[in-house]
mmCIF file of all heavy atoms in Angstrom:
data_model
loop_
_atom_site.group_PDB
_atom_site.id
_atom_site.type_symbol
_atom_site.label_atom_id
_atom_site.label_comp_id
_atom_site.label_asym_id
_atom_site.label_seq_id
_atom_site.Cartn_x
_atom_site.Cartn_y
_atom_site.Cartn_z
ATOM 1 N N MET A 1 -25.980 -65.485 -30.403
ATOM 2 C CA MET A 1 -26.406 -64.086 -30.403
ATOM 3 C C MET A 1 -27.064 -63.723 -29.074
ATOM 4 O O MET A 1 -26.856 -62.655 -28.552
ATOM 5 C CB MET A 1 -27.384 -63.874 -31.577
ATOM 6 C CG MET A 1 -28.023 -62.517 -31.528
ATOM 7 S SD MET A 1 -27.684 -61.659 -33.008
ATOM 8 C CE MET A 1 -28.599 -60.205 -32.736
ATOM 9 N N ALA A 2 -27.891 -64.631 -28.551
ATOM 10 C CA ALA A 2 -28.560 -64.368 -27.288
ATOM 11 C C ALA A 2 -27.552 -64.270 -26.145
ATOM 12 O O ALA A 2 -27.738 -63.454 -25.239
ATOM 13 C CB ALA A 2 -29.576 -65.486 -26.987
ATOM 14 N N LYS A 3 -26.489 -65.066 -26.229
ATOM 15 C CA LYS A 3 -25.467 -65.013 -25.183
ATOM 16 C C LYS A 3 -24.738 -63.648 -25.214
ATOM 17 O O LYS A 3 -24.455 -63.089 -24.177
ATOM 18 C CB LYS A 3 -24.472 -66.157 -25.421
ATOM 19 C CG LYS A 3 -24.017 -66.788 -24.182
ATOM 20 C CD LYS A 3 -23.152 -67.990 -24.495
ATOM 21 C CE LYS A 3 -22.912 -68.723 -23.201
ATOM 22 N NZ LYS A 3 -22.079 -69.871 -23.350
ATOM 23 N N THR A 4 -24.473 -63.173 -26.405
ATOM 24 C CA THR A 4 -23.805 -61.872 -26.562
ATOM 25 C C THR A 4 -24.695 -60.748 -26.021
ATOM 26 O O THR A 4 -24.227 -59.863 -25.316
ATOM 27 C CB THR A 4 -23.468 -61.605 -28.030
ATOM 28 O OG1 THR A 4 -22.721 -62.703 -28.527
ATOM 29 C CG2 THR A 4 -22.680 -60.335 -28.198
ATOM 30 N N LEU A 5 -25.975 -60.815 -26.340
ATOM 31 C CA LEU A 5 -26.943 -59.802 -25.870
ATOM 32 C C LEU A 5 -27.049 -59.821 -24.364
ATOM 33 O O LEU A 5 -27.078 -58.761 -23.728
ATOM 34 C CB LEU A 5 -28.296 -60.052 -26.535
ATOM 35 C CG LEU A 5 -29.347 -58.967 -26.286
ATOM 36 C CD1 LEU A 5 -28.860 -57.624 -26.834
ATOM 37 C CD2 LEU A 5 -30.657 -59.345 -26.948
ATOM 38 N N ASN A 6 -27.092 -61.014 -23.765
ATOM 39 C CA ASN A 6 -27.136 -61.112 -22.297
ATOM 40 C C ASN A 6 -25.890 -60.560 -21.653
ATOM 41 O O ASN A 6 -25.959 -59.906 -20.627
ATOM 42 C CB ASN A 6 -27.324 -62.565 -21.885
ATOM 43 C CG ASN A 6 -28.762 -63.033 -22.018
ATOM 44 O OD1 ASN A 6 -29.666 -62.211 -22.118
ATOM 45 N ND2 ASN A 6 -28.943 -64.351 -22.050
ATOM 46 N N SER A 7 -24.744 -60.806 -22.289
ATOM 47 C CA SER A 7 -23.490 -60.252 -21.777
ATOM 48 C C SER A 7 -23.432 -58.752 -21.819
ATOM 49 O O SER A 7 -23.005 -58.089 -20.882
ATOM 50 C CB SER A 7 -22.334 -60.854 -22.580
ATOM 51 O OG SER A 7 -21.133 -60.395 -22.093
ATOM 52 N N ILE A 8 -23.935 -58.173 -22.905
ATOM 53 C CA ILE A 8 -23.974 -56.699 -23.047
ATOM 54 C C ILE A 8 -24.938 -56.101 -22.032
ATOM 55 O O ILE A 8 -24.626 -55.120 -21.383
ATOM 56 C CB ILE A 8 -24.355 -56.326 -24.488
ATOM 57 C CG1 ILE A 8 -23.223 -56.669 -25.453
ATOM 58 C CG2 ILE A 8 -24.665 -54.813 -24.578
ATOM 59 C CD1 ILE A 8 -23.584 -56.511 -26.899
ATOM 60 N N CYS A 9 -26.099 -56.704 -21.864
ATOM 61 C CA CYS A 9 -27.081 -56.217 -20.876
ATOM 62 C C CYS A 9 -26.518 -56.276 -19.467
ATOM 63 O O CYS A 9 -26.685 -55.354 -18.679
ATOM 64 C CB CYS A 9 -28.387 -57.027 -20.959
ATOM 65 S SG CYS A 9 -29.331 -56.653 -22.412
ATOM 66 N N PHE A 10 -25.845 -57.361 -19.131
ATOM 67 C CA PHE A 10 -25.268 -57.520 -17.805
ATOM 68 C C PHE A 10 -24.202 -56.471 -17.552
ATOM 69 O O PHE A 10 -24.150 -55.840 -16.492
ATOM 70 C CB PHE A 10 -24.685 -58.929 -17.632
ATOM 71 C CG PHE A 10 -24.053 -59.162 -16.294
ATOM 72 C CD1 PHE A 10 -24.840 -59.296 -15.160
ATOM 73 C CD2 PHE A 10 -22.663 -59.191 -16.185
ATOM 74 C CE1 PHE A 10 -24.238 -59.489 -13.924
ATOM 75 C CE2 PHE A 10 -22.073 -59.360 -14.963
ATOM 76 C CZ PHE A 10 -22.856 -59.525 -13.817
ATOM 77 N N THR A 11 -23.345 -56.243 -18.546
ATOM 78 C CA THR A 11 -22.282 -55.260 -18.425
ATOM 79 C C THR A 11 -22.848 -53.843 -18.266
ATOM 80 O O THR A 11 -22.389 -53.055 -17.430
ATOM 81 C CB THR A 11 -21.338 -55.299 -19.638
ATOM 82 O OG1 THR A 11 -20.850 -56.649 -19.802
ATOM 83 C CG2 THR A 11 -20.181 -54.347 -19.498
ATOM 84 N N SER A 12 -23.873 -53.539 -19.050
ATOM 85 C CA SER A 12 -24.535 -52.239 -18.954
ATOM 86 C C SER A 12 -25.177 -52.033 -17.587
ATOM 87 O O SER A 12 -25.043 -50.958 -16.973
ATOM 88 C CB SER A 12 -25.594 -52.082 -20.033
ATOM 89 O OG SER A 12 -25.038 -52.190 -21.303
ATOM 90 N N LEU A 13 -25.826 -53.043 -17.098
ATOM 91 C CA LEU A 13 -26.434 -52.989 -15.785
ATOM 92 C C LEU A 13 -25.409 -52.784 -14.687
ATOM 93 O O LEU A 13 -25.604 -52.016 -13.753
ATOM 94 C CB LEU A 13 -27.259 -54.261 -15.541
ATOM 95 C CG LEU A 13 -28.092 -54.299 -14.256
ATOM 96 C CD1 LEU A 13 -29.131 -53.198 -14.273
ATOM 97 C CD2 LEU A 13 -28.753 -55.638 -14.121
ATOM 98 N N LEU A 14 -24.283 -53.462 -14.838
ATOM 99 C CA LEU A 14 -23.221 -53.333 -13.859
ATOM 100 C C LEU A 14 -22.642 -51.899 -13.859
ATOM 101 O O LEU A 14 -22.386 -51.344 -12.783
ATOM 102 C CB LEU A 14 -22.109 -54.329 -14.192
ATOM 103 C CG LEU A 14 -21.077 -54.639 -13.117
ATOM 104 C CD1 LEU A 14 -21.787 -55.225 -11.890
ATOM 105 C CD2 LEU A 14 -20.053 -55.628 -13.649
ATOM 106 N N LEU A 15 -22.477 -51.307 -15.027
ATOM 107 C CA LEU A 15 -21.989 -49.942 -15.108
ATOM 108 C C LEU A 15 -22.978 -48.950 -14.508
ATOM 109 O O LEU A 15 -22.575 -48.020 -13.793
ATOM 110 C CB LEU A 15 -21.703 -49.561 -16.575
ATOM 111 C CG LEU A 15 -20.418 -50.112 -17.150
ATOM 112 C CD1 LEU A 15 -20.345 -49.848 -18.666
ATOM 113 C CD2 LEU A 15 -19.221 -49.518 -16.452
ATOM 114 N N VAL A 16 -24.239 -49.111 -14.768
ATOM 115 C CA VAL A 16 -25.275 -48.209 -14.190
ATOM 116 C C VAL A 16 -25.245 -48.334 -12.672
ATOM 117 O O VAL A 16 -25.293 -47.329 -11.963
ATOM 118 C CB VAL A 16 -26.671 -48.573 -14.760
ATOM 119 C CG1 VAL A 16 -27.761 -47.874 -13.955
ATOM 120 C CG2 VAL A 16 -26.754 -48.186 -16.215
ATOM 121 N N LEU A 17 -25.138 -49.542 -12.155
ATOM 122 C CA LEU A 17 -25.070 -49.777 -10.719
ATOM 123 C C LEU A 17 -23.828 -49.087 -10.128
ATOM 124 O O LEU A 17 -23.882 -48.487 -9.027
ATOM 125 C CB LEU A 17 -25.023 -51.251 -10.424
ATOM 126 C CG LEU A 17 -25.976 -51.684 -9.316
ATOM 127 C CD1 LEU A 17 -26.584 -53.017 -9.710
ATOM 128 C CD2 LEU A 17 -25.282 -51.760 -8.040
ATOM 129 N N LEU A 18 -22.720 -49.149 -10.820
ATOM 130 C CA LEU A 18 -21.486 -48.513 -10.358
ATOM 131 C C LEU A 18 -21.632 -47.004 -10.282
ATOM 132 O O LEU A 18 -21.247 -46.371 -9.299
ATOM 133 C CB LEU A 18 -20.337 -48.898 -11.291
ATOM 134 C CG LEU A 18 -18.993 -48.237 -10.979
ATOM 135 C CD1 LEU A 18 -18.418 -48.807 -9.684
ATOM 136 C CD2 LEU A 18 -18.038 -48.452 -12.136
ATOM 137 N N PHE A 19 -22.240 -46.368 -11.291
ATOM 138 C CA PHE A 19 -22.438 -44.945 -11.292
ATOM 139 C C PHE A 19 -23.378 -44.506 -10.195
ATOM 140 O O PHE A 19 -23.163 -43.487 -9.544
ATOM 141 C CB PHE A 19 -22.955 -44.462 -12.645
ATOM 142 C CG PHE A 19 -21.915 -44.395 -13.723
ATOM 143 C CD1 PHE A 19 -22.135 -45.019 -14.952
ATOM 144 C CD2 PHE A 19 -20.705 -43.787 -13.502
ATOM 145 C CE1 PHE A 19 -21.184 -44.991 -15.939
ATOM 146 C CE2 PHE A 19 -19.739 -43.753 -14.480
ATOM 147 C CZ PHE A 19 -19.984 -44.348 -15.702
ATOM 148 N N ILE A 20 -24.426 -45.255 -9.976
ATOM 149 C CA ILE A 20 -25.376 -44.905 -8.927
ATOM 150 C C ILE A 20 -24.737 -45.006 -7.539
ATOM 151 O O ILE A 20 -24.932 -44.162 -6.699
ATOM 152 C CB ILE A 20 -26.657 -45.787 -9.015
ATOM 153 C CG1 ILE A 20 -27.446 -45.418 -10.264
ATOM 154 C CG2 ILE A 20 -27.516 -45.647 -7.785
ATOM 155 C CD1 ILE A 20 -28.582 -46.353 -10.567
ATOM 156 N N SER A 21 -23.977 -46.077 -7.341
ATOM 157 C CA SER A 21 -23.358 -46.281 -6.013
ATOM 158 C C SER A 21 -22.284 -45.241 -5.741
ATOM 159 O O SER A 21 -22.031 -44.883 -4.589
ATOM 160 C CB SER A 21 -22.800 -47.683 -5.882
ATOM 161 O OG SER A 21 -21.736 -47.872 -6.776
ATOM 162 N N ALA A 22 -21.621 -44.773 -6.785
ATOM 163 C CA ALA A 22 -20.564 -43.763 -6.609
ATOM 164 C C ALA A 22 -21.150 -42.371 -6.447
ATOM 165 O O ALA A 22 -20.460 -41.434 -6.020
ATOM 166 C CB ALA A 22 -19.620 -43.783 -7.815
ATOM 167 N N GLU A 23 -22.413 -42.183 -6.753
ATOM 168 C CA GLU A 23 -23.124 -40.909 -6.656
ATOM 169 C C GLU A 23 -22.359 -39.796 -7.354
ATOM 170 O O GLU A 23 -22.165 -38.709 -6.821
ATOM 171 C CB GLU A 23 -23.370 -40.548 -5.203
ATOM 172 C CG GLU A 23 -24.269 -41.506 -4.501
ATOM 173 C CD GLU A 23 -24.585 -41.074 -3.074
ATOM 174 O OE1 GLU A 23 -24.495 -39.877 -2.806
ATOM 175 O OE2 GLU A 23 -24.869 -41.955 -2.281
ATOM 176 N N ILE A 24 -21.920 -40.043 -8.569
ATOM 177 C CA ILE A 24 -21.117 -39.057 -9.325
ATOM 178 C C ILE A 24 -21.871 -37.749 -9.547
ATOM 179 O O ILE A 24 -21.338 -36.678 -9.245
ATOM 180 C CB ILE A 24 -20.592 -39.671 -10.626
ATOM 181 C CG1 ILE A 24 -19.550 -40.735 -10.299
ATOM 182 C CG2 ILE A 24 -20.026 -38.604 -11.542
ATOM 183 C CD1 ILE A 24 -19.080 -41.546 -11.439
ATOM 184 N N PRO A 25 -23.115 -37.739 -10.036
ATOM 185 C CA PRO A 25 -23.785 -36.460 -10.265
ATOM 186 C C PRO A 25 -24.100 -35.729 -8.948
ATOM 187 O O PRO A 25 -24.006 -34.528 -8.869
ATOM 188 C CB PRO A 25 -25.065 -36.837 -10.969
ATOM 189 C CG PRO A 25 -24.919 -38.240 -11.401
ATOM 190 C CD PRO A 25 -23.870 -38.865 -10.531
ATOM 191 N N LYS A 26 -24.450 -36.472 -7.913
ATOM 192 C CA LYS A 26 -24.851 -35.870 -6.662
ATOM 193 C C LYS A 26 -23.646 -35.290 -5.901
ATOM 194 O O LYS A 26 -23.774 -34.259 -5.217
ATOM 195 C CB LYS A 26 -25.537 -36.938 -5.804
ATOM 196 C CG LYS A 26 -26.172 -36.394 -4.577
ATOM 197 C CD LYS A 26 -26.879 -37.502 -3.833
ATOM 198 C CE LYS A 26 -27.453 -37.026 -2.535
ATOM 199 N NZ LYS A 26 -28.047 -38.099 -1.760
#
Side-chain angles (χ1 to χ4, degrees):
M1 172 122 177
K3 219 174 188 181
T4 306
L5 188 60
N6 282 342
S7 180
I8 291 171
C9 287
F10 178 74
T11 305
S12 300
L13 186 62
L14 197 61
L15 283 172
V16 168
L17 226 142
L18 176 70
F19 284 130
I20 290 172
S21 66
E23 296 184 25
I24 291 172
K26 189 177 175 184

